[in-house]
Amino acid sequence: TAISIGTNNRQMVLADMLIKGFLYGIYGSPSELYCDRIFTDHNKYSCYLFGAADSWLFRCHFGSGSQTAYPANGIGLTLINCNNIEGYALRLQVQRSGPGAQIQSCKTVHLHGGYADQNDTNGLEVIDSTDVTWNGAEIMDNGTTGANADGVYIKAQAYHFTADAPSDTLTLTDGSATWANGNVVVQLTTTGTLPAGLALATDYYV
């Protein structure tokens, strides 16, 4: 790891750096982290933040590089359980066998401008997160390897439940006990032409 940041670190500034050849370029759970003009290359995880809050990323390049010798299956920018993150003019590109960025279980992540391009899988992955925006981005030429690659990929956590149609009641059988607070179940009743695997006059829940 090139730069490891502990949980009690606040108001750190990282600027004008080249980080190359590590498993993790920037790793940790800081509060009030400012990154400006960080260029990463040949790292598996360029910037890996978990539990970070109130942080800003400016004009950074997060990606592994395209040469076959570079580490595969990583992620350019990883945010897990983070809150209130702002990114400006980020270049999330050229990640070998992985996405440009993954935002997982986060709240309030706003990206402005920048690129997600030439990543081997998805450009941006958003998983189980709330209030994620990306305005003015250029997202293109992703998915050079593997199927199911997208510019932006959004995934919600699945929960098992039983549905009682007469009472219109759902009973959760696993998952978070607080899941129903502030979340939505959408009930779909199908009509018309359907994709394979769906049946007419059947209720589906997503």
Side-chain angles (χ1 to χ4, degrees):
T1 301
I3 300 172
S4 182
I5 305 170
T7 56
N8 295 322
N9 287 281
R10 295 174 57 87
Q11 298 181 339
M12 293 188 63
V13 177
L14 304 176
D16 298 312
M17 293 182 179
L18 169 62
I19 302 175
K20 184 174 182 178
F22 292 89
L23 176 60
Y24 295 94
I26 301 171
Y27 177 90
S29 51
S31 180
E32 297 182 52
L33 171 67
Y34 298 81
C35 288
D36 193 0
R37 299 183 303 274
I38 306 296
F39 190 93
T40 64
D41 190 22
H42 201 173
N43 305 290
K44 185 169 185 176
Y45 299 97
S46 294
C47 182
Y48 192 103
L49 302 180
F50 54 95
D54 306 322
S55 296
W56 292 261
L57 309 173
F58 300 93
R59 297 171 290 185
C60 297
H61 173 277
F62 296 131
S64 64
S66 61
Q67 296 185 26
T68 56
Y70 288 6
N73 303 313
I75 302 171
L77 170 64
T78 307
L79 302 176
I80 300 176
N81 292 319
C82 296
N83 181 48
N84 193 26
I85 307 296
E86 297 278 336
Y88 296 85
L90 302 179
R91 303 183 74 93
L92 310 172
Q93 56 187 174
V94 196
Q95 181 66 40
R96 282 202 64 237
S97 304
Q102 185 180 95
I103 300 171
Q104 181 173 346
S105 302
C106 294
K107 183 177 180 180
T108 311
V109 178
H110 297 162
L111 306 179
H112 312 270
Y115 298 84
D117 65 297
Q118 302 180 65
N119 299 290
D120 280 358
T121 60
N122 302 309
L124 170 67
E125 297 179 352
V126 180
I127 302 171
D128 301 331
S129 296
T130 302
D131 188 19
V132 177
T133 64
W134 196 356
N135 296 314
E138 294 191 38
I139 303 172
M140 54 193 176
D141 299 329
N142 295 287
T144 54
T145 63
N148 304 319
D150 299 290
V152 177
Y153 173 83
I154 300 174
K155 179 180 179 182
Q157 177 65 47
Y159 292 86
H160 295 92
F161 62 86
T162 59
D164 183 70
S167 64
D168 201 24
T169 300
L170 298 180
T171 302
L172 298 177
T173 57
D174 60 10
S176 171
T178 61
W179 177 82
N181 183 17
N183 290 270
V184 176
V185 172
V186 179
Q187 179 180 353
L188 302 178
T189 300
T190 63
T191 59
T193 303
L194 301 173
L198 301 184
L200 285 171
T202 302
D203 287 343
Y204 295 94
Y205 299 84
V206 295

